[in-house]
């Protein structure tokens, strides 16, 4: 969808841009005043240096916090240029890059929900930078906005015939860097198969899933060729040890596993999490597939993203940058109260109100603290329920779709 530039919108662009730049400047100053560590960026830098030096990638413990490498080896290949930059310059470039990515993310989110006013991008980006997931993404020097942009770019493209050589590239690259986005090709595969079972034409979704799989496999094989030992170790061992990422009950973990660990006052929820995760995955994908088959791409994409965040072993608060398209979708579809409540949740920094830090106090939370430390996951669950009830009973062209 092309951006619509009406005369009034054209006149409003300089004002909107000015407000956004002022907000970004204040944000940058606030981050500097808070002496943010950008600790994850320093881990990425250490990973790049380890690859360049031929070291053991998954034995690495970087920064004073002794943080391990957690991404697939392909991500470390992308980080190899980072050690060439001075630390101060790297932090400045990462901050500027994330702010630029936020604007692109807002633009793609608006495209997803069908809103094409050019000035709206700046009006939305100006306050969005202050929501907790975005603040924390920039604070840590994280890559969440980059991955979200890759996914949304791929899922909002409408090439002629529904397919071209770029279809699936964004999804495949995002999944090769970090596994959570891999649920999107699974969603596309499921949609294509369901469409075929119902006697429809599922090939566009199947081609999209195949394209993503080919790119993911190519990137993974490239990493295996360059880093054979690290690749073998990741795919046969490291991948299955979720505990090395951090404590499951950490208040920053807003995935279902973290919520259950805090609720049960247990370091690891074990089989209960596996069962609940499997049910959540099935229900969430069912909502996404149903929305897609009814021509509701925005609901489908957001439902898939929320499902991926809920079922991942760890979804830190900064992974929930998907709150931006969630709010825009709810608002543009008439769910204004739900949109405002979602804004309040993600701008409240509520997970950080509870005791956290050394001593693992999250294992001893009271009822109120349990609620505060589960707000992102709760919003995700409510969103999936709302998405299920908000879908039309007919698909494109007014054809009734079987439930």
């Amino acid at each position: 969808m092309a951006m619509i530039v009406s005369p009034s919108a054209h006149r409003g662009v300089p004002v909107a841009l000015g407000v956004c730049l002022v907000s970004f400047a204040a944000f940058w100053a606030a981050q500097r005043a808070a002496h943010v560590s950008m600790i994850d960026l320093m881990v990425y830098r250490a990973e790049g240096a380890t690859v360049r030096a031929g070291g053991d990638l998954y034995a690495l413990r970087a920064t004073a916090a002794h943080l391990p490498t957690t991404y697939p080896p392909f991500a470390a290949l992308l980080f190899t240029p980072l050690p060439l930059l001075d630390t101060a310059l790297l932090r400045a470039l990462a901050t500027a890059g994330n702010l630029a990515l936020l604007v692109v993310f807002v633009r793609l989110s608006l495209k997803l929900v069908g809103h094409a006013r050019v000035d709206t991008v700046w009006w939305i980006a100006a306050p969005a930078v202050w929501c907790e997931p975005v603040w924390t993404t920039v604070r840590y020097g994280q890559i969440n906005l980059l991955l979200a942009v890759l996914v949304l770019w791929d899922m909002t493209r409408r090439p002629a015939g529904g397919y071209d050589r770029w279809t699936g590239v964004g999804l495949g690259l995002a999944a090769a860097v970090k596994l959570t986005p891999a649920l999107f090709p699974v969603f596309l595969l499921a949609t294509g198969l369901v469409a075929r079972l119902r006697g429809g034409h599922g090939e566009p979704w199947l081609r999209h899933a195949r394209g993503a799989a080919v790119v993911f496999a190519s990137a993974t094989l490239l990493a295996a060729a360059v880093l054979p030992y690290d690749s073998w170790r990741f795919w046969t061992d490291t991948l299955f040890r979720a505990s090395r990422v951090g404590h499951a009950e950490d208040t920053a973990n807003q995935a279902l596993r973290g919520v259950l660990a805090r609720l049960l006052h247990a370091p690891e929820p074990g089989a209960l999490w596996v069962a609940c995760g499997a049910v959540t995955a099935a229900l969430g994908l069912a909502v996404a597939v149903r929305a897609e088959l009814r021509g509701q791409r925005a609901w489908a994409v957001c439902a898939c993203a929320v499902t991926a965040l809920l079922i991942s072993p760890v979804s830190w608060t900064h992974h929930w940058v998907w709150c931006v398209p969630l709010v825009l979708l709810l608002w543009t579809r008439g769910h204004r109260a739900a949109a405002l409540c979602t804004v309040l949740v993600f701008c409240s920094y509520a997970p950080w109100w509870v005791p956290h830090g050394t001593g693992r106090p999250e294992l001893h939370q009271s009822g109120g603290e349990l609620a505060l430390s589960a707000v992102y996951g709760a919003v995700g669950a409510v969103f999936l329920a709302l998405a299920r009830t908000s879908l039309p009973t007919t698909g494109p062209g007014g054809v009734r779709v079987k439930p």
Side-chain angles (χ1 to χ4, degrees), residues 234-314:
F234 177 83
W235 293 107
T236 63
D237 178 50
T238 305
L239 172 63
F240 305 102
R241 293 195 287 128
S243 60
R244 71 191 301 275
V245 179
H247 298 310
E249 80 279 358
D250 194 316
T251 189
N253 185 9
Q254 293 293 301
L256 184 61
R257 176 169 168 258
V259 173
L260 288 173
R262 292 187 292 271
L263 182 64
L264 298 174
H265 305 295
E268 179 54 62
L272 179 61
W273 166 63
V274 174
C276 291
V279 171
T280 301
L283 294 177
L285 282 175
V287 171
V289 169
R290 178 175 296 193
E292 180 72 9
L293 290 176
R294 297 183 181 186
Q296 302 296 313
R297 171 59 65 90
W299 285 107
V301 169
C302 289
C304 187
V306 167
T307 302
L309 290 169
L310 288 174
I311 68 174
S312 175
V314 174

Coordinates of all heavy atoms in Angstrom, one line a residue, residues 234-314:
F234 N 25.9 -25.8 19.1 CA 24.6 -25.1 19.3 C 23.4 -26.0 19.0 O 22.5 -26.1 19.8 CB 24.5 -23.9 18.5 CG 23.2 -23.2 18.6 CD1 23.0 -22.3 19.7 CD2 22.2 -23.4 17.7 CE1 21.8 -21.6 19.8 CE2 21.0 -22.7 17.8 CZ 20.8 -21.8 18.9
W235 N 23.4 -26.7 17.9 CA 22.2 -27.4 17.4 C 22.1 -28.8 18.1 O 21.0 -29.4 18.0 CB 22.3 -27.6 15.9 CG 22.2 -26.3 15.2 CD1 23.2 -25.6 14.5 CD2 21.0 -25.5 15.0 NE1 22.7 -24.4 14.0 CE2 21.3 -24.3 14.3 CE3 19.7 -25.6 15.5 CZ2 20.4 -23.3 14.0 CZ3 18.8 -24.6 15.2 CH2 19.1 -23.5 14.4
T236 N 23.1 -29.3 18.8 CA 23.0 -30.5 19.5 C 23.0 -30.4 21.0 O 22.6 -31.4 21.7 CB 24.2 -31.5 19.1 OG1 25.4 -30.9 19.5 CG2 24.2 -31.7 17.6
D237 N 23.3 -29.2 21.5 CA 23.4 -29.1 23.0 C 22.8 -27.8 23.5 O 21.8 -27.8 24.2 CB 24.8 -29.3 23.4 CG 25.0 -29.1 24.9 OD1 24.3 -29.8 25.7 OD2 25.9 -28.3 25.3
T238 N 23.5 -26.7 23.1 CA 23.1 -25.4 23.6 C 21.7 -25.0 23.4 O 21.0 -24.5 24.3 CB 24.0 -24.3 23.0 OG1 25.4 -24.7 23.2 CG2 23.8 -22.9 23.6
L239 N 21.1 -25.4 22.3 CA 19.7 -25.1 21.9 C 18.8 -25.6 23.0 O 17.7 -25.0 23.3 CB 19.4 -25.6 20.6 CG 17.9 -25.6 20.1 CD1 17.5 -24.1 20.0 CD2 17.8 -26.3 18.8
F240 N 19.1 -26.7 23.6 CA 18.2 -27.4 24.5 C 18.4 -27.1 25.9 O 17.7 -27.6 26.8 CB 18.3 -28.9 24.3 CG 18.1 -29.3 22.9 CD1 19.2 -29.7 22.0 CD2 16.8 -29.4 22.3 CE1 19.0 -30.0 20.7 CE2 16.6 -29.8 21.0 CZ 17.7 -30.1 20.2
R241 N 19.3 -26.1 26.2 CA 19.6 -25.7 27.6 C 19.1 -24.3 27.8 O 19.9 -23.4 27.8 CB 21.0 -25.9 27.9 CG 21.5 -27.4 27.9 CD 22.8 -27.6 28.6 NE 23.9 -27.1 27.7 CZ 24.9 -26.3 28.2 NH1 24.8 -25.8 29.4 NH2 25.8 -25.9 27.4
A242 N 17.8 -24.2 28.0 CA 17.2 -22.8 28.2 C 17.7 -22.2 29.5 O 17.7 -20.9 29.5 CB 15.7 -23.0 28.2
S243 N 18.1 -22.9 30.4 CA 18.5 -22.4 31.7 C 19.7 -21.5 31.6 O 19.9 -20.6 32.5 CB 18.7 -23.5 32.7 OG 19.7 -24.4 32.3
R244 N 20.6 -21.7 30.6 CA 21.8 -20.9 30.5 C 21.5 -19.5 30.1 O 22.3 -18.6 30.3 CB 22.8 -21.6 29.5 CG 22.3 -21.5 28.1 CD 23.2 -22.4 27.2 NE 24.6 -22.0 27.3 CZ 25.2 -21.1 26.5 NH1 24.5 -20.4 25.7 NH2 26.5 -20.9 26.6
V245 N 20.3 -19.2 29.5 CA 19.9 -17.8 29.2 C 19.7 -17.0 30.4 O 19.9 -15.8 30.4 CB 18.7 -17.9 28.3 CG1 18.3 -16.5 27.9 CG2 18.9 -18.7 27.0
G246 N 19.2 -17.6 31.5 CA 18.8 -16.9 32.7 C 17.8 -17.6 33.5 O 17.3 -18.7 33.0
H247 N 17.5 -17.2 34.7 CA 16.5 -17.9 35.5 C 15.2 -17.7 34.9 O 14.7 -16.6 34.5 CB 16.6 -17.3 36.9 CG 17.9 -17.4 37.7 ND1 18.5 -18.6 37.7 CD2 18.7 -16.5 38.3 CE1 19.6 -18.5 38.4 NE2 19.8 -17.2 38.8
A248 N 14.4 -18.8 34.9 CA 13.1 -18.8 34.3 C 12.2 -17.8 35.1 O 11.3 -17.2 34.4 CB 12.5 -20.2 34.4
E249 N 12.3 -17.7 36.4 CA 11.4 -16.9 37.2 C 11.7 -15.4 37.1 O 11.0 -14.6 37.7 CB 11.4 -17.4 38.6 CG 12.5 -16.9 39.5 CD 13.8 -17.7 39.3 OE1 13.8 -18.7 38.5 OE2 14.8 -17.4 40.0
D250 N 12.8 -15.0 36.5 CA 13.2 -13.6 36.4 C 12.0 -12.8 36.0 O 11.3 -13.1 35.1 CB 14.3 -13.4 35.4 CG 15.0 -12.1 35.5 OD1 14.3 -11.1 35.6 OD2 16.3 -12.0 35.5
T251 N 11.8 -11.7 36.7 CA 10.6 -10.8 36.4 C 10.6 -10.3 35.0 O 9.5 -10.0 34.4 CB 10.5 -9.6 37.4 OG1 9.3 -9.0 37.2 CG2 11.6 -8.6 37.1
A252 N 11.8 -10.2 34.4 CA 11.8 -9.7 33.0 C 11.3 -10.8 32.0 O 11.0 -10.5 30.9 CB 13.3 -9.4 32.6
N253 N 11.2 -12.0 32.4 CA 10.8 -13.1 31.6 C 9.2 -13.1 31.5 O 8.6 -13.6 32.5 CB 11.3 -14.5 32.0 CG 10.9 -15.6 31.0 OD1 10.4 -15.3 30.0 ND2 11.2 -16.8 31.4
Q254 N 8.7 -12.6 30.5 CA 7.2 -12.5 30.4 C 6.6 -13.6 29.5 O 5.5 -13.5 29.1 CB 6.9 -11.1 29.8 CG 7.2 -9.9 30.7 CD 6.3 -10.0 32.0 OE1 5.1 -9.9 31.9 NE2 7.0 -10.0 33.1
A255 N 7.4 -14.6 29.3 CA 6.9 -15.8 28.6 C 6.1 -16.6 29.6 O 6.1 -16.5 30.8 CB 8.0 -16.6 28.0
L256 N 5.3 -17.6 29.0 CA 4.5 -18.4 29.8 C 5.3 -19.2 30.8 O 4.9 -19.4 32.0 CB 3.7 -19.4 28.9 CG 2.7 -20.4 29.6 CD1 1.6 -19.6 30.3 CD2 2.2 -21.3 28.5
R257 N 6.5 -19.6 30.4 CA 7.4 -20.3 31.4 C 7.8 -19.5 32.6 O 7.8 -20.0 33.7 CB 8.7 -20.8 30.6 CG 9.7 -21.4 31.4 CD 10.8 -22.0 30.5 NE 12.0 -22.5 31.3 CZ 13.1 -21.8 31.3 NH1 13.2 -20.6 30.6 NH2 14.2 -22.3 32.0
G258 N 8.1 -18.2 32.4 CA 8.4 -17.3 33.5 C 7.2 -17.1 34.4 O 7.4 -17.1 35.6
V259 N 6.0 -16.9 33.8 CA 4.8 -16.7 34.6 C 4.6 -17.9 35.5 O 4.3 -17.8 36.7 CB 3.6 -16.4 33.7 CG1 2.3 -16.3 34.5 CG2 3.8 -15.1 33.0
L260 N 4.7 -19.1 34.9 CA 4.4 -20.3 35.7 C 5.5 -20.5 36.8 O 5.2 -21.0 37.9 CB 4.4 -21.5 34.7 CG 3.2 -21.6 33.8 CD1 3.4 -22.8 32.8 CD2 1.9 -21.8 34.6
A261 N 6.8 -20.2 36.5 CA 7.8 -20.4 37.5 C 7.5 -19.5 38.7 O 7.7 -19.9 39.8 CB 9.2 -20.1 36.9
R262 N 7.1 -18.3 38.5 CA 6.8 -17.4 39.6 C 5.5 -17.8 40.3 O 5.5 -17.8 41.5 CB 6.7 -15.9 39.0 CG 8.0 -15.3 38.5 CD 7.8 -13.9 38.2 NE 7.0 -13.6 37.0 CZ 7.4 -13.6 35.8 NH1 8.7 -13.8 35.5 NH2 6.6 -13.3 34.8
L263 N 4.5 -18.3 39.6 CA 3.3 -18.7 40.2 C 3.5 -19.9 41.1 O 2.9 -20.0 42.1 CB 2.3 -19.0 39.1 CG 0.9 -19.4 39.5 CD1 0.2 -18.3 40.3 CD2 0.0 -19.8 38.3
L264 N 4.3 -20.8 40.6 CA 4.6 -22.1 41.3 C 5.7 -21.9 42.4 O 5.9 -22.9 43.1 CB 4.9 -23.2 40.4 CG 3.9 -23.6 39.3 CD1 4.4 -24.6 38.3 CD2 2.6 -24.1 40.0
H265 N 6.3 -20.8 42.4 CA 7.5 -20.6 43.2 C 8.5 -21.7 43.0 O 9.1 -22.2 44.0 CB 7.1 -20.5 44.7 CG 6.0 -19.5 45.0 ND1 6.2 -18.2 44.9 CD2 4.7 -19.7 45.4 CE1 5.1 -17.5 45.2 NE2 4.2 -18.4 45.5
A266 N 8.7 -22.0 41.7 CA 9.7 -23.1 41.4 C 10.7 -22.6 40.4 O 10.3 -21.8 39.5 CB 8.9 -24.3 40.8
P267 N 11.9 -23.0 40.5 CA 12.9 -22.5 39.5 C 12.7 -23.0 38.1 O 13.1 -22.3 37.1 CB 14.2 -23.1 40.1 CG 14.0 -23.4 41.5 CD 12.5 -23.8 41.6
E268 N 12.0 -24.1 38.0 CA 11.7 -24.6 36.6 C 10.3 -25.3 36.6 O 10.1 -26.2 37.4 CB 12.8 -25.6 36.2 CG 12.5 -26.3 34.9 CD 12.4 -25.2 33.8 OE1 13.3 -24.4 33.5 OE2 11.3 -25.2 33.2
P269 N 9.3 -24.8 35.8 CA 8.0 -25.3 35.9 C 7.9 -26.7 35.2 O 6.9 -27.4 35.3 CB 7.2 -24.3 35.1 CG 8.1 -23.5 34.3 CD 9.4 -23.5 35.0
G270 N 8.9 -27.1 34.4 CA 9.0 -28.4 33.9 C 7.8 -28.8 33.0 O 7.5 -28.1 32.0
A271 N 7.3 -30.0 33.2 CA 6.3 -30.6 32.4 C 5.0 -29.8 32.2 O 4.4 -29.7 31.2 CB 5.9 -32.0 32.9
L272 N 4.7 -29.0 33.3 CA 3.5 -28.2 33.2 C 3.7 -27.1 32.2 O 2.7 -26.8 31.4 CB 3.2 -27.5 34.6 CG 2.0 -26.6 34.6 CD1 0.7 -27.3 34.3 CD2 1.9 -25.9 36.0
W273 N 4.9 -26.5 32.1 CA 5.1 -25.5 31.1 C 5.1 -26.1 29.7 O 4.5 -25.5 28.8 CB 6.5 -24.9 31.3 CG 6.9 -24.1 30.1 CD1 6.3 -23.0 29.5 CD2 8.0 -24.4 29.2 NE1 7.0 -22.6 28.4 CE2 8.1 -23.4 28.2 CE3 9.0 -25.4 29.2 CZ2 9.0 -23.4 27.2 CZ3 10.0 -25.4 28.2 CH2 10.0 -24.4 27.2
V274 N 5.6 -27.3 29.5 CA 5.6 -28.0 28.2 C 4.1 -28.2 27.8 O 3.8 -27.9 26.6 CB 6.3 -29.3 28.2 CG1 6.2 -30.1 26.9 CG2 7.8 -29.1 28.5
A275 N 3.3 -28.7 28.7 CA 1.9 -28.9 28.3 C 1.2 -27.6 28.0 O 0.5 -27.5 27.0 CB 1.2 -29.7 29.5
C276 N 1.3 -26.6 28.9 CA 0.7 -25.3 28.7 C 1.2 -24.7 27.4 O 0.4 -24.0 26.6 CB 0.9 -24.4 29.9 SG 0.0 -25.0 31.3
G277 N 2.5 -24.8 27.1 CA 3.1 -24.2 25.9 C 2.5 -24.8 24.7 O 2.3 -24.1 23.7
A278 N 2.4 -26.2 24.7 CA 1.8 -26.9 23.5 C 0.4 -26.4 23.3 O 0.0 -26.2 22.1 CB 1.9 -28.4 23.8
V279 N -0.4 -26.3 24.3 CA -1.8 -25.9 24.1 C -1.9 -24.5 23.6 O -2.6 -24.1 22.7 CB -2.6 -26.0 25.5 CG1 -3.9 -25.4 25.4 CG2 -2.7 -27.5 25.9
T280 N -1.0 -23.6 24.2 CA -1.0 -22.2 23.8 C -0.6 -22.1 22.3 O -1.1 -21.3 21.5 CB 0.0 -21.4 24.7 OG1 -0.5 -21.5 26.0 CG2 0.0 -19.9 24.2
A281 N 0.4 -22.9 21.9 CA 0.9 -22.8 20.5 C -0.2 -23.3 19.6 O -0.4 -22.6 18.5 CB 2.1 -23.8 20.4
A282 N -0.9 -24.3 19.9 CA -2.0 -24.8 19.1 C -3.1 -23.8 19.0 O -3.6 -23.5 17.9 CB -2.5 -26.1 19.6
L283 N -3.5 -23.2 20.1 CA -4.6 -22.3 20.1 C -4.2 -21.0 19.4 O -5.0 -20.4 18.6 CB -5.1 -22.0 21.5 CG -5.7 -23.1 22.3 CD1 -6.0 -22.7 23.7 CD2 -7.0 -23.6 21.6
G284 N -3.0 -20.5 19.7 CA -2.5 -19.3 19.0 C -2.4 -19.4 17.5 O -2.8 -18.5 16.8
L285 N -1.8 -20.5 17.1 CA -1.7 -20.8 15.7 C -3.1 -20.9 15.0 O -3.3 -20.5 13.9 CB -0.8 -22.0 15.4 CG 0.7 -21.8 15.5 CD1 1.4 -23.1 15.4 CD2 1.2 -20.8 14.5
A286 N -4.0 -21.5 15.7 CA -5.3 -21.7 15.2 C -6.0 -20.3 14.9 O -6.6 -20.1 13.9 CB -6.2 -22.5 16.1
V287 N -5.8 -19.4 15.9 CA -6.3 -18.0 15.7 C -5.6 -17.4 14.5 O -6.3 -16.7 13.7 CB -6.1 -17.2 17.0 CG1 -6.4 -15.7 16.7 CG2 -6.9 -17.8 18.1
A288 N -4.3 -17.5 14.4 CA -3.6 -16.8 13.3 C -4.0 -17.4 11.9 O -4.2 -16.7 11.0 CB -2.1 -17.0 13.5
V289 N -4.1 -18.7 11.9 CA -4.5 -19.4 10.6 C -5.9 -19.0 10.2 O -6.2 -18.6 9.0 CB -4.4 -20.9 10.7 CG1 -5.0 -21.6 9.5 CG2 -2.9 -21.3 10.8
R290 N -6.8 -19.0 11.2 CA -8.2 -18.6 10.9 C -8.3 -17.1 10.4 O -9.0 -16.8 9.4 CB -9.1 -18.8 12.1 CG -10.5 -18.3 11.9 CD -11.4 -18.6 13.1 NE -11.5 -20.1 13.4 CZ -12.3 -20.6 14.2 NH1 -13.2 -19.8 14.9 NH2 -12.4 -21.9 14.4
A291 N -7.5 -16.3 11.0 CA -7.5 -14.8 10.6 C -7.0 -14.7 9.2 O -7.5 -14.0 8.4 CB -6.7 -14.0 11.6
E292 N -5.9 -15.4 8.9 CA -5.3 -15.3 7.6 C -6.2 -15.8 6.5 O -6.4 -15.2 5.4 CB -4.0 -16.1 7.6 CG -3.2 -16.1 6.2 CD -2.6 -14.8 5.9 OE1 -2.6 -13.9 6.8 OE2 -2.1 -14.6 4.8
L293 N -6.9 -16.9 6.8 CA -7.8 -17.5 5.8 C -9.1 -16.6 5.6 O -9.7 -16.7 4.6 CB -8.3 -18.9 6.2 CG -7.2 -20.0 6.1 CD1 -7.7 -21.3 6.6 CD2 -6.7 -20.1 4.6
R294 N -9.3 -15.7 6.5 CA -10.5 -14.8 6.4 C -10.0 -13.4 5.9 O -10.7 -12.4 6.0 CB -11.2 -14.7 7.7 CG -11.8 -16.0 8.2 CD -12.6 -15.9 9.4 NE -13.1 -17.3 9.7 CZ -14.0 -17.5 10.7 NH1 -14.4 -16.5 11.5 NH2 -14.4 -18.7 11.0
G295 N -8.8 -13.4 5.4 CA -8.3 -12.1 4.8 C -7.9 -11.1 5.8 O -7.7 -9.9 5.5
Q296 N -7.6 -11.5 7.1 CA -7.3 -10.6 8.1 C -5.8 -10.7 8.5 O -5.4 -11.2 9.5 CB -8.2 -10.8 9.4 CG -9.7 -10.7 9.1 CD -10.1 -9.3 8.7 OE1 -9.7 -8.3 9.4 NE2 -10.9 -9.2 7.7
R297 N -4.9 -10.3 7.6 CA -3.5 -10.4 7.7 C -3.0 -9.8 9.0 O -2.1 -10.3 9.7 CB -2.8 -9.9 6.5 CG -1.3 -9.8 6.6 CD -0.6 -11.1 6.8 NE -0.7 -12.1 5.8 CZ 0.1 -12.2 4.8 NH1 1.1 -11.4 4.6 NH2 -0.1 -13.2 3.9
A298 N -3.5 -8.6 9.4 CA -3.0 -7.9 10.6 C -3.3 -8.7 11.8 O -2.4 -8.9 12.7 CB -3.7 -6.5 10.7
W299 N -4.5 -9.2 12.0 CA -4.8 -10.1 13.1 C -3.9 -11.3 13.1 O -3.4 -11.8 14.2 CB -6.3 -10.5 13.1 CG -7.2 -9.4 13.5 CD1 -8.1 -8.7 12.7 CD2 -7.5 -8.9 14.8 NE1 -8.8 -7.8 13.4 CE2 -8.5 -7.9 14.7 CE3 -6.9 -9.2 16.1 CZ2 -9.0 -7.2 15.8 CZ3 -7.4 -8.5 17.2 CH2 -8.4 -7.5 17.1
A300 N -3.7 -11.9 11.9 CA -2.9 -13.1 11.8 C -1.5 -12.9 12.3 O -0.9 -13.6 13.0 CB -3.0 -13.6 10.4
V301 N -0.9 -11.8 11.8 CA 0.5 -11.5 12.1 C 0.7 -11.2 13.6 O 1.6 -11.8 14.2 CB 1.0 -10.3 11.3 CG1 2.4 -9.8 11.8 CG2 1.1 -10.7 9.8
C302 N -0.2 -10.4 14.1 CA -0.1 -10.1 15.6 C -0.3 -11.3 16.4 O 0.4 -11.5 17.5 CB -1.0 -9.0 15.9 SG -0.5 -7.3 15.2
A303 N -1.3 -12.1 16.0 CA -1.6 -13.4 16.8 C -0.4 -14.3 16.8 O 0.0 -14.9 17.8 CB -2.8 -14.1 16.3
C304 N 0.3 -14.4 15.6 CA 1.5 -15.3 15.5 C 2.6 -14.7 16.4 O 3.3 -15.5 17.1 CB 1.9 -15.4 14.1 SG 3.2 -16.6 13.8
A305 N 2.8 -13.4 16.4 CA 3.9 -12.8 17.1 C 3.6 -13.0 18.6 O 4.6 -13.4 19.4 CB 4.0 -11.3 16.8
V306 N 2.4 -12.8 19.1 CA 2.1 -13.0 20.5 C 2.3 -14.4 20.9 O 2.8 -14.7 22.0 CB 0.7 -12.5 20.8 CG1 0.2 -12.9 22.2 CG2 0.6 -11.0 20.7
T307 N 1.8 -15.3 20.1 CA 2.0 -16.8 20.4 C 3.5 -17.1 20.5 O 3.9 -17.9 21.4 CB 1.4 -17.6 19.3 OG1 0.0 -17.3 19.1 CG2 1.5 -19.1 19.6
A308 N 4.3 -16.6 19.6 CA 5.7 -16.9 19.7 C 6.3 -16.4 21.0 O 7.2 -17.1 21.6 CB 6.5 -16.3 18.5
L309 N 5.9 -15.2 21.4 CA 6.4 -14.6 22.7 C 6.0 -15.4 23.9 O 6.7 -15.6 24.8 CB 6.0 -13.2 22.8 CG 6.6 -12.2 21.8 CD1 5.9 -10.9 21.9 CD2 8.1 -12.0 22.2
L310 N 4.8 -15.9 23.8 CA 4.2 -16.7 25.0 C 4.9 -18.1 25.1 O 5.2 -18.5 26.2 CB 2.7 -16.9 24.9 CG 1.9 -15.6 25.1 CD1 0.4 -15.9 24.8 CD2 2.0 -15.1 26.5
I311 N 5.1 -18.8 24.0 CA 5.6 -20.1 24.1 C 7.1 -20.2 24.1 O 7.7 -21.3 24.4 CB 5.1 -21.0 22.9 CG1 5.7 -20.5 21.6 CG2 3.6 -21.0 22.9 CD1 5.3 -21.4 20.4
S312 N 7.8 -19.1 23.8 CA 9.3 -19.2 23.9 C 9.7 -19.4 25.4 O 9.1 -19.0 26.3 CB 9.9 -17.8 23.5 OG 11.3 -17.8 23.6
P313 N 10.8 -20.2 25.6 CA 11.3 -20.4 26.9 C 11.6 -19.1 27.7 O 11.3 -19.0 28.9 CB 12.6 -21.2 26.8 CG 12.4 -21.9 25.4 CD 11.6 -20.9 24.6
V314 N 12.1 -18.1 27.0 CA 12.4 -16.8 27.6 C 11.9 -15.7 26.6 O 12.3 -15.7 25.5 CB 13.9 -16.6 27.9 CG1 14.1 -15.2 28.4 CG2 14.3 -17.7 28.9

